Amino acid sequence: MQNTLSAYLEKFNILYDYQFGFREFLSTSLALIKVIDSIYKHLDNREKTIGVYLDLQKAFGSVNHDILIHKLSIYGIRGTVLSWFKNCLTNRKQFTVLADAKSDILDITCGVPQGSILGPLLFLIYVNDIQNCASEA
């Protein structure tokens, strides 16, 4: 599913061009080169530059399932495939064991599956519209 979804997103150019993480042939090194190049360009033109950097702690665990499903639908994921994603995200449970102690079983109401190959890609879809918050002037 990860390969199919990734190919679909690339084919229709859905993901933000300046999203470098978790994408084939892109890296954080390329992101840094792009930022430095932009800073130098603006400084050469005697323009002011400013950067805002966010560290989203526990980002994968904060994904709202309803919003993610809605975004998948907006991006053209529908029918059986959308139902598959709904089933993967909903009705999940977790508990913790430490020595002989076990926690209660609780519903997982948000987040993408940790450690899965799909988790990073689903997170990218979730934050994809961040491009609407700032320009890349």
Side-chain angles (χ1 to χ4, degrees):
M1 183 57 80
Q2 192 273 348
N3 289 338
T4 302
L5 180 59
S6 185
Y8 173 83
L9 295 170
E10 292 296 328
K11 178 180 179 181
F12 292 103
N13 199 30
I14 292 172
L15 293 178
Y16 180 42
D17 288 338
Y18 294 98
Q19 173 51 259
F20 291 87
F22 310 114
R23 295 182 66 189
E24 192 173 23
F25 306 117
L26 297 173
S27 68
T28 53
S29 296
L30 288 174
L32 287 172
I33 291 168
K34 179 76 175 159
V35 167
I36 291 168
D37 184 53
S38 179
I39 290 170
Y40 280 136
K41 181 181 92 177
H42 290 289
L43 290 175
D44 287 345
N45 293 331
R46 299 195 181 274
E47 298 170 341
K48 295 179 182 177
T49 62
I50 187 169
V52 177
Y53 301 90
L54 304 173
D55 180 12
L56 305 173
Q57 292 183 347
K58 301 181 182 180
F60 284 22
S62 66
V63 173
N64 179 295
H65 294 161
D66 293 331
I67 293 172
L68 177 58
I69 295 298
H70 180 70
K71 287 184 177 192
L72 285 167
S73 175
I74 287 171
Y75 293 142
I77 310 301
R78 297 191 180 90
T80 304
V81 176
L82 187 63
S83 294
W84 185 87
F85 280 108
K86 284 180 188 176
N87 288 334
C88 284
L89 294 171
T90 57
N91 298 319
R92 294 173 47 232
K93 306 206 182 280
Q94 69 181 8
F95 71 97
T96 302
V97 176
L98 179 61
D100 293 330
K102 294 181 184 178
S103 70
D104 292 334
I105 297 173
L106 300 172
D107 292 325
I108 298 175
T109 58
C110 62
V112 293
Q114 300 291 317
S116 74
I117 193 168
L118 262 176
L121 187 56
L122 292 174
F123 181 75
L124 290 184
I125 292 167
Y126 187 72
V127 298
N128 192 50
D129 53 1
I130 198 167
Q131 63 187 309
N132 299 324
C133 298
S135 69
E136 70 246 9

